[in-house]
């Protein structure tokens, strides 16, 4: 293996360990809620695309959420935003690694841009949720649905840059691991948003 390729592998491995430790530690510090606090989360998550991930990510916040669908949506969006910010930082660090192949470097740069867009769209969604009122409920929810759907498109756009066997390697593996995670979180958040929007009555 060439020295440049070895250096890239070492740097990628370091990034994997750092971000895995960050993600694992974020949920380990919270107390485990009682069964009565988690049943609402379990039921709500059963209608998402990735119910296990949904329940695992949200159940530790069950005491705060209780049975409030708006708080459920806000929490799901906040969790997704936190993961997306971490992925954005990761992509920026990857873009500064020397020794990437030209196509890898171009794909990472594209991901930096679109994941940055995702952070902005999620921030807008969370801010807009704070303004939900009876009179503007459907307009606000339509805007939030549009922005969160755009995040899913951003995730697809990022991974499109790594398409094809020639792109296989540590860079693609690391990018895919984190993009898939935020894509699944986003999909679950959108499902909860859709459920909240459809269940609302004037």
């Amino acid at each position: 293996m060439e020295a440049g390729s070895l250096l890239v592998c070492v740097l990628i491995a370091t990034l994997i360990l750092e971000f895995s430790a960050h993600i694992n530690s974020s949920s380990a510090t919270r107390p485990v809620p009682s069964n009565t606090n988690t049943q609402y989360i379990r039921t709500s998550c059963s209608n998402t695309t990735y119910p296990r991930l949904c329940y695992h990510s949200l159940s530790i916040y069950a005491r705060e959420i209780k049975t409030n669908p708006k708080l459920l949506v806000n929490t799901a969006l906040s969790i997704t935003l936190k993961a997306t910010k971490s992925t954005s930082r990761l992509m920026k660090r990857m873009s500064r690694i020397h020794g990437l192949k030209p196509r890898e470097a171009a794909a990472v740069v594209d991901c930096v841009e679109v994941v940055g867009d995702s952070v902005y769209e999620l921030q807008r969604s969370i801010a807009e949720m704070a303004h939900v009122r009876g009179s503007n409920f459907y307009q606000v929810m339509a805007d939030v649905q549009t922005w969160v759907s755009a995040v899913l498109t951003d995730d697809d756009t990022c991974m499109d840059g790594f398409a094809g066997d020639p792109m296989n390697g540590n860079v693609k593996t690391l990018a895919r691991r984190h993009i898939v995670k935020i894509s699944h979180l986003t999909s679950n958040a959108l499902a909860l948003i859709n459920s909240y929007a459809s269940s609302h009555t004037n």
Side-chain angles (χ1 to χ4, degrees):
M1 180 180 292
E2 296 180 0
S5 299
L6 179 60
L7 178 60
V8 170
C9 290
V10 171
L11 290 172
I12 293 295
T14 301
L15 289 175
I16 290 173
L17 290 173
E18 286 181 3
F19 278 83
S20 295
H22 171 74
I23 291 172
N24 291 335
S25 64
S26 63
S27 61
T29 57
R30 296 185 64 84
V32 177
S34 66
N35 289 336
T36 55
N37 291 328
T38 59
Q39 186 55 48
Y40 174 69
I41 308 296
R42 189 184 302 278
T43 301
S44 300
C45 286
S46 65
N47 295 317
T48 64
T49 312
Y50 308 98
R52 281 189 176 184
L53 175 63
C54 177
Y55 178 76
H56 178 72
S57 61
L58 287 168
S59 60
I60 56 175
Y61 300 98
R63 283 193 178 90
E64 293 89 342
I65 295 169
K66 298 184 177 10
T67 59
N68 187 314
K70 182 179 177 182
L71 289 178
L72 180 68
V73 167
N74 283 337
T75 305
L77 286 172
S78 295
I79 290 169
T80 305
L81 175 60
K82 182 178 180 180
T84 304
K85 283 182 174 179
S86 292
T87 300
S88 179
R89 290 192 296 270
L90 172 68
M91 290 300 173
K92 289 176 182 177
R93 291 185 66 181
M94 288 175 65
S95 71
R96 295 191 289 268
I97 293 176
H98 296 291
L100 296 180
K101 300 172 186 176
R103 282 192 61 195
E104 287 178 334
V108 170
V109 169
D110 287 344
C111 285
V112 169
E113 180 178 352
V114 296
V115 175
D117 290 343
S118 294
V119 169
Y120 173 69
E121 287 151 358
L122 289 166
Q123 288 172 332
R124 286 189 69 181
S125 298
I126 292 171
E128 193 70 4
M129 285 294 298
H131 300 122
V132 171
R133 300 290 184 271
S135 60
N136 69 352
F137 179 88
Y138 293 106
Q139 182 58 55
V140 168
M141 295 310 298
D143 289 341
V144 172
Q145 287 167 319
T146 298
W147 291 327
V148 177
S149 296
V151 175
L152 288 176
T153 301
D154 294 335
D155 297 339
D156 289 340
T157 300
C158 173
M159 288 313 304
D160 284 347
F162 292 97
D165 291 342
M167 293 292 282
N168 290 349
N170 290 326
V171 175
K172 179 178 179 178
T173 298
L174 181 59
R176 178 176 172 77
R177 174 182 298 182
H178 289 274
I179 293 298
V180 166
K181 173 71 177 295
I182 63 175
S183 177
H184 289 183
L185 287 172
T186 303
S187 176
N188 285 343
L190 183 59
L192 296 173
I193 290 164
N194 292 341
S195 178
Y196 178 44
S198 63
S199 66
H200 182 79
T201 56
N202 289 321

